[in-house]
Amino acid sequence: MVGSGYVGLVSGACFADFGHDVICVDKAVEKIEALKKGIIPIFEPGLDALVESNVKAGRLSFTTDLTEAVAEADVVFIAVGTPSRRGDGHADLGYVYAASSEIAAAIKGFTVIVTKSTVPVGTGDEVERIIRETNPEADFAVVSNPEFLREGAAIEDFKRPDRIVVGLSDERARAVMTEVYRPLYLNQSPLLFTSRRTSELIKYAANGFLAMKITFINEMADLCERVGADVQDVSRGIGLDGRIGSKFLHAGPGYGGSCFPKDTLALAKTAQDYDAPVRLIETTIAVNDNRKRAMGRKVIAAVGGDVRGKKVAVLGLTFKPNTDDMRDSPAIAVVQTLKDAGAIVSGYDPEGMENAKQMMDIEFASGPYQAAEGADVAVLVTEWNEFRALDLERLKSVMKSPILVDLRNVYRAPEVEAHGFTYTGVGKTEEVTKV
Ligand code: UDX
């Protein structure tokens, strides 16, 4: 497994748990040293136990020596980062190409090279060209095998996938990949073989569709606020239709994370390059970007239209619960909008504080009630379980004015208003409190 980040480490540990022998490779010496000591550099529920048990069983090891790891391997997964390239939003494939040429030089015997990183359509062809040019004698096949792992649920998603997608054209590679995924295949997880380019596109199409689905319900939320409807009931009412499905229909501050923002942008760019623009995805990107700042303005409106010199408590900073990941978190744009309007911001997150401190210049509190001390308004941005049953009396007692803006509709207006709060949700009609 070349690359021991979110995808590589989870995939490597899960493959080891299937009974395969796995070597996780990474250039970052300190990361590998930490992993060898059983220190997991990312927050992913259950990962530390999974790594520990498989290291103990002798099926999982860590090294910075790619050459030795590749020489022994039947299958080499490329799971390195493919961030958005500065400036133009294309996927930056520098790490993928560098890994490909290093792998090429180390291949011994027939080896299947698998791109697990999310890579634009056609990348597999480029990887194949690089390997062939670097090592003309190499006997290999390049295969696409995208991951569909959600952060915070990655192990579950790996072990009980809705499907496994493998893009290839080489029969020997097909036999090897069937063997690699046999434990899942036997559990009836569909193993879908496609062409390599089809497999690469499936990944982008999946993330693009999910991002669009979220953006759809977010726009429905705005309409609900105007027409006096309830977006959670709209979501339930359409989600019960089997053709729509109820997942990913929760209105919120907009999607974030290391995937949707990057993958929608890369998909739009690829489509433009091939003169088949995906305008629905282009619109999804624009709507989502605007929404995050609009959420900041929602908070400003909740305190009467001016936050200059006022204190805002931000509950939740990560892009979603059960992760420490701050990449493209909506909280970043919400906080920036509030700061630009002169607000004093105090933030708290159960897991994201270390990462948030690298990205936000705000006060950091030790808990939700500390963040709310003297605050004119509290805004719930990330629906951590810890925020689902706040002691509203205690919260009210520490705040300067009891105003709650709930960007994830965790609470119901009546229950919050009963404690003397003014409540604003997303896509909820402002309950006109009976005078
Ligand atoms: C996503 C895809 O789900 C996963 O299959 C892919 O491999 C990687 O990208 P991830 O980014 O970890 O996974 O998180 P996800 O749970 O999909 O949420 C993405 C964003 O959408 C988060 O900001 C989340 O808060 C938001 N979201 C999700 C909503 O706003 N509403 C929803 O109903 C669901």
Side-chain angles (χ1 to χ4, degrees):
M1 191 65 64
V2 176
S4 301
Y6 274 102
V7 172
L9 192 53
V10 169
S11 305
C14 288
F15 277 132
D17 219 41
F18 289 167
H20 296 310
D21 286 329
V22 179
I23 308 170
C24 282
V25 182
D26 203 291
K27 282 186 178 316
V29 176
E30 69 285 351
K31 185 187 284 190
I32 293 297
E33 288 317 307
L35 285 165
K36 283 179 174 175
K37 291 189 201 111
I39 301 164
I40 310 296
I42 57 174
F43 177 84
E44 182 63 44
L47 184 58
D48 40 6
L50 193 70
V51 167
E52 185 183 357
S53 62
N54 283 284
V55 166
K56 268 209 186 85
R59 289 192 297 262
L60 179 61
S61 62
F62 303 98
T63 179
T64 54
D65 182 349
L66 180 143
T67 302
E68 178 197 333
V70 168
E72 296 171 39
D74 300 299
V75 195
V76 179
F77 283 85
I78 298 177
V80 295
T82 55
S84 280
R85 200 160 61 193
R86 293 244 170 281
D88 67 4
H90 274 286
D92 178 351
L93 298 170
Y95 301 115
V96 170
Y97 295 155
S100 303
S101 46
E102 281 186 73
I103 290 164
I107 288 174
K108 296 262 181 303
F110 177 62
T111 304
V112 176
I113 315 293
V114 185
T115 54
K116 179 148 286 287
S117 301
T118 302
V119 291
V121 178
T123 303
D125 305 350
E126 185 60 20
V127 168
E128 190 171 303
R129 187 189 62 73
I130 290 171
I131 295 175
R132 197 171 304 292
E133 275 182 15
T134 309
N135 181 356
E137 278 72 55
D139 182 17
F140 71 100
V142 175
V143 165
S144 163
N145 174 222
E147 49 80 19
F148 301 100
L149 309 179
R150 290 167 298 158
E151 286 179 34
I155 294 170
E156 171 71 15
D157 286 349
F158 195 101
K159 293 196 162 186
R160 269 169 284 288
D162 289 337
R163 76 311 200 177
I164 303 146
V165 174
V166 178
L168 49 75
S169 54
D170 179 300
E171 275 317 304
R172 290 180 299 169
R174 185 185 178 116
V176 168
M177 293 306 284
T178 302
E179 188 52 34
V180 164
Y181 280 105
R182 180 170 300 284
L184 282 182
Y185 189 42
L186 294 179
N187 289 347
Q188 267 73 46
S189 289
L191 186 50
L192 178 66
F193 286 103
T194 69
S195 76
R196 199 162 57 199
R197 284 176 169 247
T198 300
S199 170
E200 290 165 341
L201 183 56
I202 285 170
K203 170 66 185 177
Y204 282 101
N207 272 7
F209 189 87
L210 290 168
M212 189 170 68
K213 191 175 182 185
I214 293 165
T215 306
F216 174 81
I217 200 64
N218 283 339
E219 290 207 305
M220 283 297 113
D222 289 348
L223 181 56
C224 283
E225 290 173 10
R226 297 286 182 284
V227 302
D230 182 310
V231 74
Q232 287 181 297
D233 291 340
V234 169
S235 170
R236 185 167 159 68
I238 64 175
L240 287 168
D241 180 324
R243 296 167 300 172
I244 296 174
S246 57
K247 292 184 178 173
F248 280 59
L249 272 181
H250 305 296
Y255 60 77
S258 62
C259 297
F260 285 175
K262 156 176 91 67
D263 293 352
T264 45
L265 213 46
L267 175 57
K269 298 289 177 191
T270 299
Q272 284 158 9
D273 289 351
Y274 284 85
D275 198 20
V278 286
R279 285 177 286 271
L280 289 174
I281 299 298
E282 291 170 359
T283 305
T284 292
I285 295 166
V287 169
N288 191 65
D289 282 348
N290 291 334
R291 181 171 191 78
K292 300 177 187 178
R293 285 188 297 278
M295 292 298 108
R297 291 195 293 274
K298 182 188 266 279
V299 176
I300 295 169
V303 292
D306 180 4
V307 282
R308 193 155 300 287
K310 289 186 178 166
K311 181 176 176 183
V312 181
V314 177
L315 307 185
L317 300 171
T318 52
F319 82 96
K320 65 173 203 173
N322 302 320
T323 181
D324 61 351
D325 201 340
M326 284 291 300
R327 284 175 288 184
D328 258 322
S329 169
I332 297 169
V334 170
V335 163
Q336 196 53 55
T337 304
L338 291 167
K339 285 185 66 183
D340 291 348
I344 298 152
V345 178
S346 173
Y348 167 72
D349 188 279
E351 290 294 341
M353 297 293 254
E354 283 323 302
N355 290 334
K357 284 172 181 163
Q358 316 299 323
M359 306 167 88
M360 290 173 155
D361 176 17
I362 59 172
E363 289 170 22
F364 287 96
S366 55
Y369 305 104
Q370 291 73 15
E373 257 160 42
D376 297 274
V377 57
V379 52
L380 197 160
V381 181
T382 315
E383 67 284 21
W384 284 93
N385 282 339
E386 174 169 346
F387 303 143
R388 288 187 180 280
L390 290 170
D391 174 344
L392 294 173
E393 284 307 319
R394 182 179 170 196
L395 192 69
K396 180 162 178 267
S397 70
V398 299
M399 291 179 74
K400 197 162 155 204
S401 52
I403 300 173
L404 177 61
V405 178
D406 178 2
L407 299 183
R408 298 286 186 167
N409 291 332
V410 166
Y411 291 92
R412 296 281 170 278
E415 76 182 276
V416 175
E417 286 163 352
H419 289 275
F421 278 85
T422 308
Y423 177 85
T424 305
V426 171
K428 314 293 272 183
T429 312
E430 314 310 331
E431 309 285 343
V432 181
T433 32
K434 310 281 176 294
V435 177

